[in-house]
Amino acid sequence: MATDYFGVLGLARDASDSDIKRAYRRLARDLHPDVNPDPEAKERFQEVTRAYEALTDPEKRRIVDLGGDPFDTGGGGGNGFGNAGFGGLGDIMDAFFGGATTRGPRGRTRAGRDALIPIELELDETVFGTVKELTVDTAVLCDVCAGAGTAPGTHVTTCTTCSGRGEVQSVQRSFLGQVMTSRPCPTCSGTGQVIPEPCVKCAGDGRVRSRRTISVKVPAGVEDGMRIRLTGQGEVGPGGGPAGDLYVEIHERPHDVFTRDGEDLHCRVTLPMTSAALGTTLNLKTLDGEQEIDIQPGTQSGSVLKMRAQGAPRLRATGRGGLVVHVDVVTPTKLDAEQEKLVRELAALRGEDQPESNREAQGGLFSRVRDAFHGR
Ligand SMILES: [Zn+2]
Ligand SMILES: [Zn+2]
């Protein structure tokens, strides 16, 4: 379903270009991460910016007008992590706020990055859910300076190179005349502040690397490639800025017996020809324990038995998928003399001993050959 980008900006579908611009500007002022450290605001800001981009970029707007979604790459499951095509943000902000040159010193405190950790799970863990202890090695808040970056009892001071403006200007002569250019102050990296006595533990960064163990609850029914998001468990930002999110990516190990197709599990069983003909009961070790499967007399090779509610739980709905059992019937080989005699007797009793001499049987034989080519 295509996102209602007008709705994201709080606009009706007939909004004009200037309405769009005005609505975005108003929202961006409240939600921009430089202004609003709330992680939810950051997410909302990205949403709003995306909507703005979708409605103002001519190519993307064309897709929106056709009822499509210019950001939908067809993969689904996108949750904002490493989202491609979201590159225009800086340009848009510069257009509205006049670019970095007039934004003054940038904050020393910035938001932390997201982190991604893959975990390997067995099939029964993805199907029934589990709790995993994960060792995470990320930047955490420095406990000595609590993110300030200063040694105990000391404070940040105003940068003398730029007088706290965060940028330095230089005048250059060119054929256009005098051109004034600004660039971030090299002494304070544009923050306008310096730390005369940095914290010894974090060297002024406000954060240190640390290894910690967190437990991750894996919900029942997750699939290979899915990511679980742990809000605020990512890297703490420079200067003790709000932590990013931690994404745990599920990797499902192949199982010896079962293969998974979404919510369904599949397996193969082999049956001797005699059991297939006479019918039998099989004991199958499923993920839920031992189960009896009734094989009807006359079961054909390639038949499929479906066992309800023995598969994986549905993530966003109730109930479980099925267990699909594929039956292979095995033709006996290396018959001894007595067995061969019995099979021949059976063949004679069934009139199958000389099928080529019987027109009807011949038709049957051909149709069976045809089935083998066109079946499954
Ligand atoms: Zn510190
Ligand atoms: Zn400076």
Side-chain angles (χ1 to χ4, degrees):
M1 208 194 327
T3 310
D4 174 14
Y5 289 115
F6 288 98
V8 171
L9 294 174
L11 294 168
R13 289 218 155 251
D14 57 356
S16 70
D17 283 357
S18 64
D19 291 339
I20 293 168
K21 217 166 238 186
R22 209 173 311 120
Y24 174 65
R25 199 187 294 231
R26 187 173 43 73
L27 288 164
R29 287 230 165 104
D30 292 340
L31 299 167
H32 190 268
D34 282 356
V35 183
N36 192 334
D38 184 10
E40 258 176 48
K42 179 180 156 197
E43 210 167 286
R44 175 95 176 97
F45 175 69
Q46 294 187 342
E47 225 176 85
V48 161
T49 303
R50 202 192 288 238
Y52 176 77
E53 215 181 308
L55 297 177
T56 52
D57 180 297
E59 190 55 33
K60 295 192 174 77
R61 178 62 186 266
R62 200 178 54 80
I63 298 170
V64 172
D65 290 342
L66 290 169
D69 188 337
F71 293 106
D72 186 7
T73 51
N79 43 22
F81 187 88
N83 206 324
F86 193 70
L89 175 58
D91 297 343
I92 293 172
M93 293 319 295
D94 284 355
F96 278 122
F97 296 107
T101 50
T102 56
R103 266 204 281 173
R106 60 179 196 156
R108 261 190 340 105
T109 303
R110 269 168 289 139
R113 284 183 306 183
D114 295 337
L116 178 69
I117 296 184
I119 53 168
E120 289 221 332
L121 296 175
E122 302 296 342
L123 182 65
D124 59 338
E125 294 178 311
T126 58
V127 166
F128 296 121
T130 182
V131 175
K132 280 276 163 186
E133 300 286 306
L134 271 190
T135 304
V136 187
D137 192 354
T138 52
V140 298
L141 200 66
C142 173
D143 55 346
V144 173
C145 64
T150 48
T154 70
H155 298 280
V156 295
T157 56
T158 303
C159 173
T160 50
T161 309
C162 63
S163 312
R165 283 195 315 270
E167 59 189 27
V168 287
Q169 279 154 353
S170 53
V171 177
Q172 285 175 324
R173 267 183 189 287
S174 76
F175 63 95
L176 294 169
Q178 281 194 346
V179 179
M180 176 112 92
T181 56
S182 300
R183 62 195 167 92
C185 170
T187 308
C188 62
S189 314
T191 63
Q193 296 177 333
V194 287
I195 298 173
E197 265 188 81
C199 164
V200 285
K201 188 165 182 190
C202 65
D205 192 32
R207 51 186 186 158
V208 286
R209 286 210 87 76
S210 154
R211 191 172 280 253
R212 69 204 150 101
T213 306
I214 54 174
S215 70
V216 182
K217 193 173 177 304
V218 178
V222 292
E223 286 179 50
D224 192 71
M226 282 184 176
R227 286 168 178 174
I228 298 168
R229 175 181 176 183
L230 303 172
T231 309
Q233 298 277 9
E235 213 163 84
V236 163
D245 298 333
L246 176 66
Y247 290 88
V248 178
E249 191 172 84
I250 308 291
H251 292 252
E252 190 180 79
R253 285 201 195 100
H255 191 271
D256 290 344
V257 177
F258 301 106
T259 53
R260 183 155 171 200
D261 178 20
E263 59 188 42
D264 290 332
L265 296 176
H266 292 255
C267 71
R268 299 199 89 84
V269 296
T270 52
L271 281 180
M273 180 192 75
T274 45
S275 312
L278 301 171
T280 184
T281 302
L282 285 182
N283 278 323
L284 182 69
K285 230 185 182 157
T286 70
L287 295 180
D288 295 78
E290 201 118 310
Q291 297 277 328
E292 288 194 340
I293 310 179
D294 283 329
I295 302 290
Q296 296 301 311
T299 292
Q300 303 295 321
S301 196
S303 27
V304 170
L305 308 171
K306 277 194 183 142
M307 298 165 73
R308 283 169 182 277
Q310 299 271 326
R314 300 179 178 108
L315 257 189
R316 286 174 195 85
T318 52
R320 292 174 66 177
L323 173 59
V324 185
V325 181
H326 300 261
V327 179
D328 287 331
V329 176
V330 179
T331 305
T333 55
K334 292 182 188 148
L335 298 174
D336 66 22
E338 191 181 356
Q339 291 166 350
E340 189 184 332
K341 185 169 154 266
L342 284 171
V343 176
R344 283 196 189 286
E345 277 174 29
L346 176 66
L349 276 173
R350 292 179 57 82
E352 294 166 348
D353 48 346
Q354 282 178 307
E356 60 280 355
S357 67
N358 181 322
R359 267 188 73 207
E360 214 172 316
Q362 197 169 44
L365 178 67
F366 279 130
S367 79
R368 254 172 277 143
V369 169
R370 204 171 52 229
D371 285 349
F373 281 113
H374 297 288
R376 295 191 278 163

